[in-house]
Amino acid sequence: MRFLGDGCIETCQSDGSWSKNTSLCGGTNSGWKGSRGSGFAVCSELLVDYPCYKLNHPDCVVGNSCSGIQGTCNSSCPTPTAADRCACGG
């Protein structure tokens, strides 16, 4: 997988070619500073307390650690909420 400057993601196909995942392109800015490299790849360290984040936001990719350098996420990756904690009454 590689991240493109326009917020899109490409995946390597079995024939060695790259295929752009158009469902992960464009969109609007969520305003949450939780991504690095792509507005669709959330910094893993920011989701430690939100185990259901990926389940609740399937178009968002959980990336590697951002080492404290975050950019703005796309609307597919909104700010985590209590619903992303997966806990009763939480």
Side-chain angles (χ1 to χ4, degrees), residues 28-34 71-75 77-79:
T28 58
N29 181 325
S30 76
W32 179 45
K33 298 273 188 195
T72 305
C73 288
N74 187 279
S75 60
C77 302
T79 303

Side-chain angles (χ1 to χ4, degrees), residues 8-75:
C8 296
I9 295 174
E10 288 186 320
T11 53
C12 186
Q13 303 302 298
S14 59
D15 66 359
S17 66
W18 288 99
S19 175
K20 186 183 271 190
N21 186 336
T22 56
S23 69
L24 299 179
C25 296
T28 58
N29 181 325
S30 76
W32 179 45
K33 298 273 188 195
S35 176
R36 184 168 182 187
S38 166
F40 292 97
V42 175
C43 305
S44 59
E45 71 268 22
L46 300 179
L47 298 179
V48 171
D49 295 328
Y50 302 97
C52 282
Y53 187 87
K54 178 64 178 147
L55 177 70
N56 293 337
H57 310 286
D59 290 335
C60 190
V61 174
V62 177
N64 295 324
S65 172
C66 295
S67 302
I69 302 170
Q70 293 101 14
T72 305
C73 288
N74 187 279
S75 60

